[in-house]
């Protein structure tokens, strides 16, 4: 996948849990981890809209460059591995691994997330926040996203990109369920170009 203009992160999953799984990509045939450090994790959470700017600054001030931040990064990667297994299972029509459910439920049970009602236009809306008592609390919004996918999405619509060199997942939101590519501009165009090349190479030189 090509990085977005001002960020290495890709948001093509049509769901934040899958976007988190997609922080591990493939580049030149090799895996590449976009969560290279604690600051990257915080930046992704903010970019994904799972924490606000104030929470991001607070987390960086408290834990960046400290052992707790490094520990959380490893915990985030472990959570990502578990959620990738959820995506794998959903895409293949298999049961969701129990270990992943236990990990998600453990995070939900921390009680770090909260909601409040605020005015919005002529009505109101719910704004979600996060109590940051411990570094691990930063992963609660990811667990909430996982819970939303498991409880409210059609898991039969979870797909892995059809491009053989791509490892990204997405939730197919098309009406007839025919989305094949994480992004048509990259994987879709590359696959179509490769198929065109193979067809014409097999056909041999044109006679004119």
């Amino acid at each position: 996948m090509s990085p977005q203009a001002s960020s290495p992160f890709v948001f093509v999953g049509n769901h934040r849990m899958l976007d988190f799984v997609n922080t591990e990509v493939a580049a030149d045939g090799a895996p590449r981890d976009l969560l290279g450090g604690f600051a990257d994790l915080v930046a992704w959470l903010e970019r994904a809209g799972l924490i606000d700017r104030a929470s991001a600054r607070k987390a960086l001030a408290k834990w960046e460059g400290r052992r707790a931040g490094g520990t959380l990064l490893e915990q985030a990667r472990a959570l990502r591995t578990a959620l990738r297994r959820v995506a794998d299972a959903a895409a293949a029509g298999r049961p969701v691994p129990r270990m992943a459910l236990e990990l998600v439920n453990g995070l939900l049970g921390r009680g770090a997330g909260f909601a409040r009602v605020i005015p919005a236009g002529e009505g109101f809306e719910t704004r979600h926040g996060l109590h940051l008592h411990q570094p691990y609390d930063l992963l609660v919004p990811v667990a909430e996203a996982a819970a939303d996918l498991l409880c409210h999405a059609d898991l039969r619509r979870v797909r892995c990109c059809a491009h053989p060199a791509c490892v990204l997942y997405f939730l197919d939101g098309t009406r007839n369920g025919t989305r094949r590519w994480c992004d048509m501009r990259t994987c879709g165009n590359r696959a179509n170009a490769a198929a065109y090349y193979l067809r014409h190479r097999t056909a041999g030189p044109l006679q004119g």
Side-chain angles (χ1 to χ4, degrees):
M1 284 296 304
S2 300
Q4 294 183 355
S6 59
S7 169
F9 305 123
V10 289
F11 292 92
V12 296
N14 202 27
H15 196 281
R16 284 299 175 254
M17 189 206 91
L18 298 176
D19 288 330
F20 184 67
V21 171
N22 291 344
T23 57
E24 189 171 34
V25 301
D28 298 322
R32 179 187 170 203
D33 192 345
L34 301 182
L35 301 181
F38 177 76
D40 295 327
L41 172 62
V42 174
W44 184 87
L45 290 168
E46 184 182 0
R47 183 72 185 267
L50 297 184
I51 61 173
D52 59 16
R53 184 59 182 154
S55 297
R57 287 176 175 169
K58 181 179 179 180
L60 290 171
K62 292 179 71 171
W63 300 307
E64 168 68 355
R66 295 176 172 83
R67 180 179 296 178
T71 298
L72 178 67
L73 180 63
E74 294 307 311
Q75 292 170 325
R77 288 169 174 165
L79 175 62
R80 182 180 60 192
T81 297
L83 296 182
R84 178 174 288 278
R85 289 173 181 152
V86 170
D88 284 341
R94 300 192 309 267
V96 170
R98 180 173 296 181
M99 183 200 73
L101 288 178
E102 291 174 352
L103 193 54
V104 167
N105 284 332
L107 280 161
L108 295 177
R110 294 182 67 81
F114 66 89
R116 55 195 176 116
V117 177
I118 61 171
E122 297 182 356
F124 299 88
E125 68 179 19
T126 301
R127 182 72 53 85
H128 294 276
L130 189 65
H131 295 298
L132 284 178
H133 301 302
Q134 301 292 331
Y136 202 45
D137 293 333
L138 280 168
L139 300 184
V140 170
V142 179
E144 291 173 342
D148 178 78
L149 181 82
L150 290 167
C151 296
H152 303 296
D154 184 350
L155 297 183
R156 296 170 298 181
R157 291 255 182 158
V158 175
R159 311 266 193 268
C160 186
C161 181
H163 196 288
C166 186
V167 297
L168 300 188
Y169 281 89
F170 59 87
L171 184 65
D172 186 354
T174 61
R175 178 176 296 180
N176 54 2
T178 57
R179 180 178 168 187
R180 298 185 61 208
W181 318 107
C182 62
D183 183 27
M184 187 62 204
R185 294 168 299 178
T186 53
C187 285
N189 284 343
R190 282 188 295 166
N192 289 339
Y196 178 86
Y197 170 78
L198 288 173
R199 283 197 305 270
H200 284 268
R201 188 181 67 174
T202 302
L206 295 175
Q207 301 296 321

